[in-house]
Amino acid sequence: MRRCGEVHDSGQMTVELAAMLPVIVVVALIVYNLAKYAEACSTFDRVSLDAAVSHGVSPSGTQSRGAAVSEIEGVIRKALNSSTCDVTVSASDAASAVEKDGLSFPLSPLLTTYRCTLTFHPWPTTISVAGVGYAAPISLQHERTITVDRFRPGVVI
């Protein structure tokens, strides 16, 4: 028997959960993507430096800059093994990189700078749960640069 003035809270927790569930899902997706990005960056940092030192100095087959770049790119892609990550590698003379920094003298004509770039695409790109929308940024980028002497193994700057 109900008395006048009594307040019953039955069902209040269910309503609060229904209101908070979309927010919880969006926060969980953000945390998931952040963890995947951190994992991809740590793997990329380790593998890109190893690949540039080992394959950039002496690529198998043709001893050209293009062959070294494609071999480094392939090794990094294989190590990441992810459909949400894109890898690009570019190579330039170390002298041109020094000139961009304001210095005009070449360090050595034999030094090559490899610039490895990881582009991470979060999953899912867009989602809407009960009116709460989540739109991931287009992509996140992480870059790693290493300078090696392509003709003398073991010389890393």
Side-chain angles (χ1 to χ4, degrees), residues 25-37 82-85 120-127 134-140:
V25 169
V26 169
V27 170
L29 284 173
I30 291 170
V31 169
Y32 170 78
N33 280 313
L34 184 61
K36 292 303 271 182
Y37 178 66
S82 175
S83 61
T84 60
C85 297
F120 178 78
H121 304 286
W123 176 87
T125 53
T126 58
I127 189 170
Y134 168 77
I138 295 171
S139 63
L140 301 170

Side-chain angles (χ1 to χ4, degrees), residues 1-9:
M1 173 182 246
R2 265 209 249 200
R3 296 186 185 156
C4 188
E6 281 186 11
V7 179
H8 291 281
D9 293 337

Side-chain angles (χ1 to χ4, degrees), residues 2-80:
R2 265 209 249 200
R3 296 186 185 156
C4 188
E6 281 186 11
V7 179
H8 291 281
D9 293 337
S10 64
Q12 179 180 353
M13 190 171 186
T14 305
V15 172
E16 289 174 358
L17 178 64
M20 289 301 296
L21 193 60
V23 175
I24 292 169
V25 169
V26 169
V27 170
L29 284 173
I30 291 170
V31 169
Y32 170 78
N33 280 313
L34 184 61
K36 292 303 271 182
Y37 178 66
E39 177 189 9
C41 284
S42 66
T43 302
F44 176 79
D45 283 345
R46 182 178 41 83
V47 171
S48 64
L49 291 178
D50 290 344
V53 169
S54 60
H55 299 285
V57 172
S58 59
S60 61
T62 308
Q63 297 291 314
S64 67
R65 184 181 289 177
V69 166
S70 65
E71 194 167 327
I72 292 169
E73 204 169 280
V75 167
I76 296 171
R77 282 181 202 272
K78 185 176 179 183
L80 286 174

